[in-house]
Amino acid sequence: MASPRLRVRSVALTRLALMCVSLLSNSAAAVGNMNLNLYRRPNIVLILTDDLDSSMGGMIPLNKTRALIGDAGITFTNTFVASPLCCPSRASILTGKYPHNHHVINNTLEGNCSSQAWQKTQEPITFPALLQKYGYYQTFFAGKYLNEYGNKQAGGVEHVPPGWDYWFALERNSKYYNYTLSVNGKAERHGQNYSEDYLTDVLANISIDFLQYKSNYRPFFMMVSTPAPHSPWTAAPQYEGQFSSLKAPRDPNFNIHGKDKHWLIRQAKTPMTNSSVEFLDNAYRKRWRTLLSVDDLVEKVVKKLEVRGELENTYIIFTSDNGYHTGQFSLPMDKRQLYEFDIRVPLLVRGPNIKPNQTSPLLVANIDLGPTVLDMAGYDINKTQMDGMSFLPVMTGKANGSMWRTDFLVEYEGEGHNVSDPACPILGPGVSECFPDCVCEDSYNNTYACVRTLSQTANLQYCEFDDNEVFVEVYNLTGDPFQLTNIAKTIDQEVLERMNHRLMMLQSCSGQSCRTPGVYDSRFKFDPRLMFSQNPHISRLRQTLK
């Protein structure tokens, strides 16, 4: 099928071209006064998918992406998110901060997702804003921003966040048809005509036009945020018949009871009904089908950069905002849990001075993306309050992993409804995201914080729930990669105390203090006396684990 000639080309991109001409003139006039090294700064492209897992084969259908980015650069095999939910995770990417520092706790306006408070306190210090203001980068955004973006209570689609020269943002959550884009603050409505409206292709073509019409006098940062593979999993017509026999992975944690886990996991019905399993398999196929258009988008962007002679001076980053599950521990499908399938995401990077065909096992988090992009642009990240750290020196061979982090923080604040779900009255109020068989994916007390540790001597996850039980889950992923056995009641007490201490440190950290050595780092200093003065529930924790 021929590439669709999108309506955006004749409407939105007319404005884009005019804006570029204006900026080009201004840039040309300023050339005599600018340091010529500025124009040798690298370009940067960030492609962000929505709900793309790396634990259950999410990258398998992305053959072009793996070849054009991963094989041409580096693939990180241990990349995680600071919170397994769209809006908090995207806020962490943009700010380089943990959720307890950017204060976006869920996907609602009340949870600070694209709220006025977010706009006032965090948007001016996102890494794109810093790139534009201090790095002289021209900046471009297309796709899903934050789940509540466009809400009339927070300025509607007229609001264009600081830091963006070109703005093509989706109103609200992921869709493929029948959506509204904010085109530099003006609403542009799309219907359900594939050749004009299929969002992944629209984003691809807007991106290509930006690369064609942008100023050649300034480096650029381009962020493309696709709807795929988020529900409703609407594939492009040419891909609707793909993967017809595919099934969701039958890993050891598929369709089994989540024993010794938080009550929300234990309430899942095991085994699932045949109809539920069939639904999961169908959803899994649909997710993969949507990714084929993402693969096309990546190919178009890379080829356009190559034709323009800009590919060798451009970093391209490919990742996701969170993982996903389909039937693990008999949970139907979502992404709000602490387990590997929800917090682990892909990360592929190519660019200047990154040798091809590399893999890295270092523990990287999405809070590191902002600092890394700023580092790529030559900005001093020590001038920021970001919690993450730049992994650019690792990619370019200027640093090894000996001084890299050995742990990071995962935190999530559960959501629930004040009234009972009509389909599941027996569970009472406080639950949400419930499926027809009364299996709920979230609740108020699905609120937890974890230390995820990965070092030469430990592959461990320690989690505490903020509930009446002070429920604890601990997993040794070296011997139990599918997290089948919670060892909280059998692990050595000193390890528990050290991990509890480290969790408190990370939950209160900010900036540089978030990058202190972890429990399994030789530089870690542990004073057990500090635990009892800082953590009033440590005695309750001890009693719970007896």
Side-chain angles (χ1 to χ4, degrees):
M1 180 177 291
S3 298
R5 305 299 295 177
L6 300 169
R7 173 159 45 101
V8 170
R9 289 180 179 269
S10 60
V11 180
L13 269 301
T14 299
R15 293 195 288 272
L16 175 61
L18 290 173
M19 292 173 65
C20 287
V21 169
S22 175
L23 285 172
L24 181 64
S25 300
N26 293 337
S27 300
V31 166
N33 299 320
M34 297 297 297
N35 187 331
L36 291 178
N37 287 330
L38 172 67
Y39 307 112
R40 300 191 185 100
R41 288 183 182 177
N43 308 306
I44 306 164
V45 176
L46 171 59
I47 299 173
L48 179 65
T49 53
D50 196 349
D51 289 1
L52 177 60
D53 66 274
S54 65
S55 294
M56 299 190 307
M59 286 298 298
I60 293 175
L62 293 161
N63 294 319
K64 299 172 185 176
T65 300
R66 287 185 282 111
L68 293 172
I69 303 179
D71 293 351
I74 186 169
T75 299
F76 288 89
T77 57
N78 290 300
T79 306
F80 297 86
V81 296
S83 187
L85 189 63
C86 297
C87 203
S89 177
R90 289 163 182 266
S92 287
I93 291 171
L94 290 164
T95 64
K97 296 179 181 180
Y98 284 120
H100 69 262
N101 287 327
H102 62 58
H103 307 298
V104 177
I105 60 173
N106 58 44
N107 288 343
T108 68
L109 204 62
E110 294 75 20
N112 207 28
C113 180
S114 204
S115 68
Q116 290 183 353
W118 156 266
Q119 294 171 14
K120 181 178 179 180
T121 64
Q122 300 301 317
E123 281 187 340
I125 54 173
T126 61
F127 76 83
L130 297 177
L131 282 178
Q132 183 198 57
K133 185 174 182 179
Y134 299 109
Y136 202 60
Y137 271 71
Q138 52 190 323
T139 55
F140 167 93
F141 180 88
K144 176 178 173 179
Y145 177 57
L146 301 176
N147 296 58
E148 284 295 324
Y149 173 75
N151 191 312
K152 293 187 182 300
Q153 298 180 47
V157 296
E158 293 77 20
H159 171 69
V160 177
W164 300 103
D165 294 310
Y166 312 110
W167 181 251
F168 298 84
L170 177 68
E171 180 186 35
R172 304 295 182 95
N173 206 1
S174 283
K175 291 184 178 181
Y176 298 82
Y177 294 108
N178 299 309
Y179 55 86
T180 297
L181 288 180
S182 170
V183 179
N184 300 313
K186 295 183 178 180
E188 179 176 280
R189 292 174 178 81
H190 285 255
Q192 51 188 11
N193 184 329
Y194 168 68
S195 65
E196 296 181 345
D197 302 311
Y198 188 69
L199 182 56
T200 307
D201 289 350
V202 168
L203 300 181
N205 285 280
I206 295 174
S207 301
I208 297 308
D209 282 313
F210 167 73
L211 293 176
Q212 180 67 36
Y213 294 112
K214 65 177 176 58
S215 166
N216 293 325
Y217 292 93
R218 296 168 58 192
F220 69 84
F221 169 72
M222 182 168 74
M223 182 172 178
V224 186
S225 182
T226 73
H230 195 286
S231 61
W233 316 306
T234 308
Q238 67 270 30
Y239 296 134
E240 288 178 349
Q242 297 291 313
F243 313 120
S244 58
S245 61
L246 183 70
K247 293 183 178 181
R250 267 49 171 181
D251 291 336
N253 54 15
F254 179 82
N255 199 14
I256 67 167
H257 185 255
K259 62 180 181 178
D260 298 326
K261 290 176 169 53
H262 188 231
W263 77 270
L264 188 65
I265 310 302
R266 299 196 305 266
Q267 56 89 32
K269 293 177 175 58
T270 306
M272 295 182 288
T273 63
N274 290 338
S275 60
S276 293
V277 173
E278 183 179 346
F279 175 76
L280 293 180
D281 287 337
N282 189 40
Y284 194 83
R285 287 190 288 272
K286 289 180 177 179
R287 283 167 54 81
W288 273 30
R289 290 166 183 161
T290 67
L291 288 169
L292 296 177
S293 293
V294 176
D295 218 25
D296 292 340
L297 180 153
V298 170
E299 182 182 42
K300 290 177 183 178
V301 169
V302 172
K303 287 188 176 300
K304 186 65 174 180
L305 288 167
E306 187 174 29
V307 167
R308 290 182 56 83
E310 296 177 309
L311 183 59
E312 297 306 310
N313 192 40
T314 301
Y315 290 102
I316 305 177
I317 305 167
F318 182 91
T319 189
S320 175
D321 59 357
N322 47 254
Y324 207 69
H325 60 258
T326 50
Q328 282 62 45
F329 302 123
S330 297
L331 296 173
M333 55 180 59
D334 197 50
K335 61 286 183 92
R336 302 161 201 257
Q337 308 306 329
L338 57 88
Y339 308 105
E340 294 286 283
F341 40 75
D342 285 356
I343 65 173
R344 185 185 284 268
V345 295
L347 177 61
L348 290 67
V349 188
R350 67 171 291 171
N353 302 314
I354 299 177
K355 294 180 180 179
N357 298 306
Q358 293 187 77
T359 60
S360 173
L362 294 184
L363 186 61
V364 175
N366 63 347
I367 58 171
D368 300 328
L369 290 171
T372 301
V373 170
L374 291 176
D375 197 10
M376 290 171 173
Y379 185 82
D380 184 359
I381 58 177
N382 292 320
K383 294 180 179 180
T384 74
Q385 292 298 311
M386 292 183 173
D387 303 331
M389 49 201 296
S390 171
F391 51 87
L392 178 61
V394 173
M395 294 191 292
T396 56
K398 295 181 179 179
N400 57 40
S402 61
M403 298 297 286
W404 191 255
R405 73 154 65 85
T406 57
D407 64 16
F408 81 103
L409 175 69
V410 179
E411 48 192 352
Y412 177 71
E413 185 162 332
E415 294 180 73
H417 301 300
N418 291 324
V419 296
S420 298
D421 189 304
C424 309
I426 192 172
L427 294 176
V431 295
S432 64
E433 308 299 320
C434 296
F435 284 76
D437 54 0
C438 286
V439 177
C440 299
E441 293 277 4
D442 208 1
S443 66
Y444 279 132
N445 64 355
N446 185 39
T447 296
Y448 56 82
C450 305
V451 180
R452 181 66 175 89
T453 295
L454 186 63
S455 70
Q456 292 184 344
T457 60
N459 188 358
L460 189 70
Q461 186 177 28
Y462 172 91
C463 302
E464 290 184 20
F465 282 83
D466 184 12
D467 59 11
N468 292 332
E469 294 181 88
V470 195
F471 197 82
V472 176
E473 296 188 30
V474 184
Y475 299 97
N476 178 2
L477 285 102
T478 300
D480 182 21
F482 295 99
Q483 297 169 290
L484 301 176
T485 304
N486 178 8
I487 60 173
K489 294 185 178 181
T490 59
I491 196 171
D492 185 83
Q493 187 66 35
E494 183 181 356
V495 174
L496 283 174
E497 291 178 353
R498 286 173 177 261
M499 298 305 293
N500 174 266
H501 177 59
R502 180 60 176 161
L503 181 61
M504 289 189 299
M505 293 174 63
L506 287 173
Q507 284 185 287
S508 60
C509 77
S510 178
Q512 179 63 39
S513 64
C514 296
R515 304 190 286 273
T516 55
V519 170
Y520 286 89
D521 190 306
S522 60
R523 298 167 293 164
F524 178 75
K525 305 298 181 184
F526 174 62
D527 184 352
R529 293 172 298 179
L530 297 177
M531 295 171 48
F532 300 97
S533 62
Q534 294 182 20
N535 193 350
H537 79 240
I538 186 64
S539 59
R540 292 172 56 208
L541 176 62
R542 280 174 169 266
Q543 292 296 320
T544 301
L545 296 175
K546 286 183 178 179

PDB file of all heavy atoms in Angstrom, residues 372-401:
ATOM      1  N   THR A 372      20.515  12.078  30.320  1.00  0.00           N
ATOM      2  CA  THR A 372      21.311  11.588  29.189  1.00  0.00           C
ATOM      3  C   THR A 372      21.142  12.467  27.965  1.00  0.00           C
ATOM      4  O   THR A 372      22.117  12.805  27.282  1.00  0.00           O
ATOM      5  CB  THR A 372      20.923  10.134  28.871  1.00  0.00           C
ATOM      6  OG1 THR A 372      21.141   9.319  30.022  1.00  0.00           O
ATOM      7  CG2 THR A 372      21.728   9.596  27.703  1.00  0.00           C
ATOM      8  N   VAL A 373      19.905  12.867  27.674  1.00  0.00           N
ATOM      9  CA  VAL A 373      19.667  13.754  26.534  1.00  0.00           C
ATOM     10  C   VAL A 373      20.371  15.090  26.741  1.00  0.00           C
ATOM     11  O   VAL A 373      21.005  15.633  25.816  1.00  0.00           O
ATOM     12  CB  VAL A 373      18.155  13.955  26.307  1.00  0.00           C
ATOM     13  CG1 VAL A 373      17.906  15.060  25.287  1.00  0.00           C
ATOM     14  CG2 VAL A 373      17.510  12.658  25.844  1.00  0.00           C
ATOM     15  N   LEU A 374      20.291  15.638  27.941  1.00  0.00           N
ATOM     16  CA  LEU A 374      20.981  16.900  28.220  1.00  0.00           C
ATOM     17  C   LEU A 374      22.486  16.742  28.065  1.00  0.00           C
ATOM     18  O   LEU A 374      23.172  17.632  27.541  1.00  0.00           O
ATOM     19  CB  LEU A 374      20.634  17.381  29.624  1.00  0.00           C
ATOM     20  CG  LEU A 374      19.199  17.857  29.840  1.00  0.00           C
ATOM     21  CD1 LEU A 374      18.968  18.203  31.312  1.00  0.00           C
ATOM     22  CD2 LEU A 374      18.873  19.065  28.967  1.00  0.00           C
ATOM     23  N   ASP A 375      23.005  15.613  28.508  1.00  0.00           N
ATOM     24  CA  ASP A 375      24.434  15.341  28.367  1.00  0.00           C
ATOM     25  C   ASP A 375      24.815  15.251  26.892  1.00  0.00           C
ATOM     26  O   ASP A 375      25.860  15.765  26.472  1.00  0.00           O
ATOM     27  CB  ASP A 375      24.768  14.035  29.090  1.00  0.00           C
ATOM     28  CG  ASP A 375      26.257  13.870  29.347  1.00  0.00           C
ATOM     29  OD1 ASP A 375      27.022  14.834  29.144  1.00  0.00           O
ATOM     30  OD2 ASP A 375      26.664  12.763  29.763  1.00  0.00           O
ATOM     31  N   MET A 376      23.982  14.608  26.089  1.00  0.00           N
ATOM     32  CA  MET A 376      24.219  14.537  24.650  1.00  0.00           C
ATOM     33  C   MET A 376      24.315  15.929  24.039  1.00  0.00           C
ATOM     34  O   MET A 376      25.114  16.184  23.131  1.00  0.00           O
ATOM     35  CB  MET A 376      23.086  13.767  23.969  1.00  0.00           C
ATOM     36  CG  MET A 376      23.046  12.286  24.258  1.00  0.00           C
ATOM     37  SD  MET A 376      21.519  11.538  23.603  1.00  0.00           S
ATOM     38  CE  MET A 376      21.836   9.793  23.889  1.00  0.00           C
ATOM     39  N   ALA A 377      23.498  16.847  24.558  1.00  0.00           N
ATOM     40  CA  ALA A 377      23.453  18.213  24.027  1.00  0.00           C
ATOM     41  C   ALA A 377      24.535  19.111  24.602  1.00  0.00           C
ATOM     42  O   ALA A 377      24.631  20.285  24.229  1.00  0.00           O
ATOM     43  CB  ALA A 377      22.083  18.821  24.313  1.00  0.00           C
ATOM     44  N   GLY A 378      25.344  18.587  25.528  1.00  0.00           N
ATOM     45  CA  GLY A 378      26.418  19.386  26.098  1.00  0.00           C
ATOM     46  C   GLY A 378      26.002  20.237  27.273  1.00  0.00           C
ATOM     47  O   GLY A 378      26.739  21.144  27.684  1.00  0.00           O
ATOM     48  N   TYR A 379      24.823  19.963  27.847  1.00  0.00           N
ATOM     49  CA  TYR A 379      24.340  20.750  28.985  1.00  0.00           C
ATOM     50  C   TYR A 379      24.848  20.128  30.282  1.00  0.00           C
ATOM     51  O   TYR A 379      24.836  18.900  30.447  1.00  0.00           O
ATOM     52  CB  TYR A 379      22.816  20.791  28.975  1.00  0.00           C
ATOM     53  CG  TYR A 379      22.212  21.683  30.041  1.00  0.00           C
ATOM     54  CD1 TYR A 379      22.108  23.051  29.836  1.00  0.00           C
ATOM     55  CD2 TYR A 379      21.752  21.156  31.231  1.00  0.00           C
ATOM     56  CE1 TYR A 379      21.558  23.873  30.807  1.00  0.00           C
ATOM     57  CE2 TYR A 379      21.196  21.963  32.210  1.00  0.00           C
ATOM     58  CZ  TYR A 379      21.105  23.323  31.997  1.00  0.00           C
ATOM     59  OH  TYR A 379      20.557  24.139  32.960  1.00  0.00           O
ATOM     60  N   ASP A 380      25.244  20.949  31.210  1.00  0.00           N
ATOM     61  CA  ASP A 380      25.750  20.488  32.501  1.00  0.00           C
ATOM     62  C   ASP A 380      24.579  20.020  33.365  1.00  0.00           C
ATOM     63  O   ASP A 380      23.826  20.835  33.898  1.00  0.00           O
ATOM     64  CB  ASP A 380      26.503  21.617  33.200  1.00  0.00           C
ATOM     65  CG  ASP A 380      27.138  21.162  34.525  1.00  0.00           C
ATOM     66  OD1 ASP A 380      26.966  19.989  34.898  1.00  0.00           O
ATOM     67  OD2 ASP A 380      27.788  22.005  35.180  1.00  0.00           O
ATOM     68  N   ILE A 381      24.436  18.697  33.516  1.00  0.00           N
ATOM     69  CA  ILE A 381      23.286  18.173  34.256  1.00  0.00           C
ATOM     70  C   ILE A 381      23.380  18.453  35.746  1.00  0.00           C
ATOM     71  O   ILE A 381      22.378  18.335  36.469  1.00  0.00           O
ATOM     72  CB  ILE A 381      23.106  16.661  34.007  1.00  0.00           C
ATOM     73  CG1 ILE A 381      24.359  15.896  34.412  1.00  0.00           C
ATOM     74  CG2 ILE A 381      22.760  16.396  32.552  1.00  0.00           C
ATOM     75  CD1 ILE A 381      24.217  14.388  34.254  1.00  0.00           C
ATOM     76  N   ASN A 382      24.546  18.854  36.225  1.00  0.00           N
ATOM     77  CA  ASN A 382      24.673  19.219  37.635  1.00  0.00           C
ATOM     78  C   ASN A 382      23.932  20.513  37.959  1.00  0.00           C
ATOM     79  O   ASN A 382      23.717  20.828  39.130  1.00  0.00           O
ATOM     80  CB  ASN A 382      26.147  19.352  38.014  1.00  0.00           C
ATOM     81  CG  ASN A 382      26.867  18.020  37.995  1.00  0.00           C
ATOM     82  OD1 ASN A 382      26.315  17.006  38.415  1.00  0.00           O
ATOM     83  ND2 ASN A 382      28.097  18.007  37.490  1.00  0.00           N
ATOM     84  N   LYS A 383      23.551  21.237  36.917  1.00  0.00           N
ATOM     85  CA  LYS A 383      22.780  22.460  37.130  1.00  0.00           C
ATOM     86  C   LYS A 383      21.291  22.169  37.325  1.00  0.00           C
ATOM     87  O   LYS A 383      20.511  23.078  37.597  1.00  0.00           O
ATOM     88  CB  LYS A 383      22.958  23.406  35.939  1.00  0.00           C
ATOM     89  CG  LYS A 383      24.369  23.949  35.777  1.00  0.00           C
ATOM     90  CD  LYS A 383      24.457  24.874  34.570  1.00  0.00           C
ATOM     91  CE  LYS A 383      25.856  25.445  34.405  1.00  0.00           C
ATOM     92  NZ  LYS A 383      25.948  26.357  33.222  1.00  0.00           N
ATOM     93  N   THR A 384      20.907  20.927  37.164  1.00  0.00           N
ATOM     94  CA  THR A 384      19.499  20.554  37.306  1.00  0.00           C
ATOM     95  C   THR A 384      19.264  19.918  38.663  1.00  0.00           C
ATOM     96  O   THR A 384      20.207  19.637  39.419  1.00  0.00           O
ATOM     97  CB  THR A 384      19.078  19.544  36.222  1.00  0.00           C
ATOM     98  OG1 THR A 384      19.629  18.253  36.539  1.00  0.00           O
ATOM     99  CG2 THR A 384      19.575  19.976  34.853  1.00  0.00           C
ATOM    100  N   GLN A 385      17.998  19.650  38.968  1.00  0.00           N
ATOM    101  CA  GLN A 385      17.619  18.929  40.177  1.00  0.00           C
ATOM    102  C   GLN A 385      17.151  17.517  39.833  1.00  0.00           C
ATOM    103  O   GLN A 385      16.375  16.912  40.573  1.00  0.00           O
ATOM    104  CB  GLN A 385      16.511  19.687  40.910  1.00  0.00           C
ATOM    105  CG  GLN A 385      16.949  21.002  41.507  1.00  0.00           C
ATOM    106  CD  GLN A 385      18.036  20.806  42.557  1.00  0.00           C
ATOM    107  OE1 GLN A 385      17.919  19.971  43.446  1.00  0.00           O
ATOM    108  NE2 GLN A 385      19.113  21.585  42.442  1.00  0.00           N
ATOM    109  N   MET A 386      17.631  16.994  38.727  1.00  0.00           N
ATOM    110  CA  MET A 386      17.188  15.674  38.287  1.00  0.00           C
ATOM    111  C   MET A 386      17.748  14.575  39.185  1.00  0.00           C
ATOM    112  O   MET A 386      18.876  14.663  39.660  1.00  0.00           O
ATOM    113  CB  MET A 386      17.590  15.441  36.832  1.00  0.00           C
ATOM    114  CG  MET A 386      16.840  16.345  35.862  1.00  0.00           C
ATOM    115  SD  MET A 386      17.245  16.010  34.137  1.00  0.00           S
ATOM    116  CE  MET A 386      16.036  17.086  33.320  1.00  0.00           C
ATOM    117  N   ASP A 387      16.930  13.543  39.383  1.00  0.00           N
ATOM    118  CA  ASP A 387      17.326  12.418  40.224  1.00  0.00           C
ATOM    119  C   ASP A 387      18.140  11.385  39.458  1.00  0.00           C
ATOM    120  O   ASP A 387      18.884  10.608  40.061  1.00  0.00           O
ATOM    121  CB  ASP A 387      16.080  11.724  40.794  1.00  0.00           C
ATOM    122  CG  ASP A 387      15.181  12.671  41.577  1.00  0.00           C
ATOM    123  OD1 ASP A 387      15.706  13.648  42.150  1.00  0.00           O
ATOM    124  OD2 ASP A 387      13.957  12.434  41.614  1.00  0.00           O
ATOM    125  N   GLY A 388      17.973  11.356  38.140  1.00  0.00           N
ATOM    126  CA  GLY A 388      18.648  10.354  37.322  1.00  0.00           C
ATOM    127  C   GLY A 388      20.074  10.725  36.997  1.00  0.00           C
ATOM    128  O   GLY A 388      20.594  11.767  37.423  1.00  0.00           O
ATOM    129  N   MET A 389      20.727   9.867  36.219  1.00  0.00           N
ATOM    130  CA  MET A 389      22.113  10.078  35.850  1.00  0.00           C
ATOM    131  C   MET A 389      22.292   9.752  34.370  1.00  0.00           C
ATOM    132  O   MET A 389      21.539   8.964  33.794  1.00  0.00           O
ATOM    133  CB  MET A 389      23.034   9.222  36.719  1.00  0.00           C
ATOM    134  CG  MET A 389      22.631   7.767  36.814  1.00  0.00           C
ATOM    135  SD  MET A 389      23.306   6.913  38.262  1.00  0.00           S
ATOM    136  CE  MET A 389      25.059   6.971  37.937  1.00  0.00           C
ATOM    137  N   SER A 390      23.264  10.371  33.750  1.00  0.00           N
ATOM    138  CA  SER A 390      23.492  10.177  32.321  1.00  0.00           C
ATOM    139  C   SER A 390      24.223   8.861  32.064  1.00  0.00           C
ATOM    140  O   SER A 390      25.263   8.583  32.673  1.00  0.00           O
ATOM    141  CB  SER A 390      24.315  11.327  31.747  1.00  0.00           C
ATOM    142  OG  SER A 390      24.721  11.034  30.412  1.00  0.00           O
ATOM    143  N   PHE A 391      23.679   8.069  31.130  1.00  0.00           N
ATOM    144  CA  PHE A 391      24.370   6.850  30.733  1.00  0.00           C
ATOM    145  C   PHE A 391      25.116   7.041  29.408  1.00  0.00           C
ATOM    146  O   PHE A 391      25.579   6.073  28.812  1.00  0.00           O
ATOM    147  CB  PHE A 391      23.413   5.653  30.657  1.00  0.00           C
ATOM    148  CG  PHE A 391      22.159   5.864  29.842  1.00  0.00           C
ATOM    149  CD1 PHE A 391      22.145   5.639  28.477  1.00  0.00           C
ATOM    150  CD2 PHE A 391      20.977   6.251  30.461  1.00  0.00           C
ATOM    151  CE1 PHE A 391      20.996   5.807  27.738  1.00  0.00           C
ATOM    152  CE2 PHE A 391      19.813   6.421  29.731  1.00  0.00           C
ATOM    153  CZ  PHE A 391      19.820   6.201  28.357  1.00  0.00           C
ATOM    154  N   LEU A 392      25.267   8.293  28.965  1.00  0.00           N
ATOM    155  CA  LEU A 392      26.022   8.559  27.740  1.00  0.00           C
ATOM    156  C   LEU A 392      27.468   8.067  27.835  1.00  0.00           C
ATOM    157  O   LEU A 392      27.964   7.435  26.897  1.00  0.00           O
ATOM    158  CB  LEU A 392      25.986  10.051  27.399  1.00  0.00           C
ATOM    159  CG  LEU A 392      26.776  10.469  26.160  1.00  0.00           C
ATOM    160  CD1 LEU A 392      26.245   9.782  24.900  1.00  0.00           C
ATOM    161  CD2 LEU A 392      26.760  11.990  25.993  1.00  0.00           C
ATOM    162  N   PRO A 393      28.193   8.321  28.948  1.00  0.00           N
ATOM    163  CA  PRO A 393      29.578   7.834  29.016  1.00  0.00           C
ATOM    164  C   PRO A 393      29.682   6.316  28.898  1.00  0.00           C
ATOM    165  O   PRO A 393      30.674   5.803  28.367  1.00  0.00           O
ATOM    166  CB  PRO A 393      30.054   8.319  30.397  1.00  0.00           C
ATOM    167  CG  PRO A 393      29.184   9.488  30.713  1.00  0.00           C
ATOM    168  CD  PRO A 393      27.847   9.142  30.130  1.00  0.00           C
ATOM    169  N   VAL A 394      28.683   5.608  29.375  1.00  0.00           N
ATOM    170  CA  VAL A 394      28.684   4.152  29.256  1.00  0.00           C
ATOM    171  C   VAL A 394      28.541   3.740  27.798  1.00  0.00           C
ATOM    172  O   VAL A 394      29.230   2.838  27.305  1.00  0.00           O
ATOM    173  CB  VAL A 394      27.549   3.541  30.103  1.00  0.00           C
ATOM    174  CG1 VAL A 394      27.425   2.045  29.859  1.00  0.00           C
ATOM    175  CG2 VAL A 394      27.767   3.832  31.579  1.00  0.00           C
ATOM    176  N   MET A 395      27.648   4.420  27.069  1.00  0.00           N
ATOM    177  CA  MET A 395      27.398   4.064  25.664  1.00  0.00           C
ATOM    178  C   MET A 395      28.592   4.347  24.775  1.00  0.00           C
ATOM    179  O   MET A 395      28.830   3.646  23.790  1.00  0.00           O
ATOM    180  CB  MET A 395      26.180   4.828  25.143  1.00  0.00           C
ATOM    181  CG  MET A 395      24.878   4.442  25.806  1.00  0.00           C
ATOM    182  SD  MET A 395      23.439   5.130  24.959  1.00  0.00           S
ATOM    183  CE  MET A 395      23.629   6.884  25.279  1.00  0.00           C
ATOM    184  N   THR A 396      29.343   5.386  25.100  1.00  0.00           N
ATOM    185  CA  THR A 396      30.464   5.796  24.252  1.00  0.00           C
ATOM    186  C   THR A 396      31.804   5.249  24.727  1.00  0.00           C
ATOM    187  O   THR A 396      32.850   5.609  24.186  1.00  0.00           O
ATOM    188  CB  THR A 396      30.536   7.330  24.176  1.00  0.00           C
ATOM    189  OG1 THR A 396      30.622   7.878  25.515  1.00  0.00           O
ATOM    190  CG2 THR A 396      29.306   7.896  23.492  1.00  0.00           C
ATOM    191  N   GLY A 397      31.772   4.401  25.749  1.00  0.00           N
ATOM    192  CA  GLY A 397      32.995   3.762  26.211  1.00  0.00           C
ATOM    193  C   GLY A 397      33.890   4.624  27.068  1.00  0.00           C
ATOM    194  O   GLY A 397      35.052   4.271  27.308  1.00  0.00           O
ATOM    195  N   LYS A 398      33.370   5.744  27.557  1.00  0.00           N
ATOM    196  CA  LYS A 398      34.174   6.633  28.390  1.00  0.00           C
ATOM    197  C   LYS A 398      34.054   6.313  29.876  1.00  0.00           C
ATOM    198  O   LYS A 398      34.699   6.943  30.705  1.00  0.00           O
ATOM    199  CB  LYS A 398      33.774   8.089  28.137  1.00  0.00           C
ATOM    200  CG  LYS A 398      34.077   8.559  26.716  1.00  0.00           C
ATOM    201  CD  LYS A 398      33.675  10.009  26.520  1.00  0.00           C
ATOM    202  CE  LYS A 398      34.000  10.466  25.102  1.00  0.00           C
ATOM    203  NZ  LYS A 398      33.598  11.883  24.859  1.00  0.00           N
ATOM    204  N   ALA A 399      33.199   5.356  30.211  1.00  0.00           N
ATOM    205  CA  ALA A 399      33.039   4.937  31.603  1.00  0.00           C
ATOM    206  C   ALA A 399      32.620   3.482  31.610  1.00  0.00           C
ATOM    207  O   ALA A 399      31.920   3.020  30.711  1.00  0.00           O
ATOM    208  CB  ALA A 399      31.998   5.802  32.318  1.00  0.00           C
ATOM    209  N   ASN A 400      33.039   2.762  32.627  1.00  0.00           N
ATOM    210  CA  ASN A 400      32.601   1.377  32.761  1.00  0.00           C
ATOM    211  C   ASN A 400      31.536   1.292  33.849  1.00  0.00           C
ATOM    212  O   ASN A 400      31.134   2.294  34.417  1.00  0.00           O
ATOM    213  CB  ASN A 400      33.783   0.450  33.080  1.00  0.00           C
ATOM    214  CG  ASN A 400      34.518   0.879  34.351  1.00  0.00           C
ATOM    215  OD1 ASN A 400      33.909   1.283  35.324  1.00  0.00           O
ATOM    216  ND2 ASN A 400      35.845   0.767  34.307  1.00  0.00           N
ATOM    217  N   GLY A 401      31.090   0.108  34.128  1.00  0.00           N
ATOM    218  CA  GLY A 401      29.980  -0.058  35.062  1.00  0.00           C
ATOM    219  C   GLY A 401      30.379  -0.144  36.517  1.00  0.00           C
ATOM    220  O   GLY A 401      29.515  -0.313  37.378  1.00  0.00           O
TER     221      GLY A 401
END
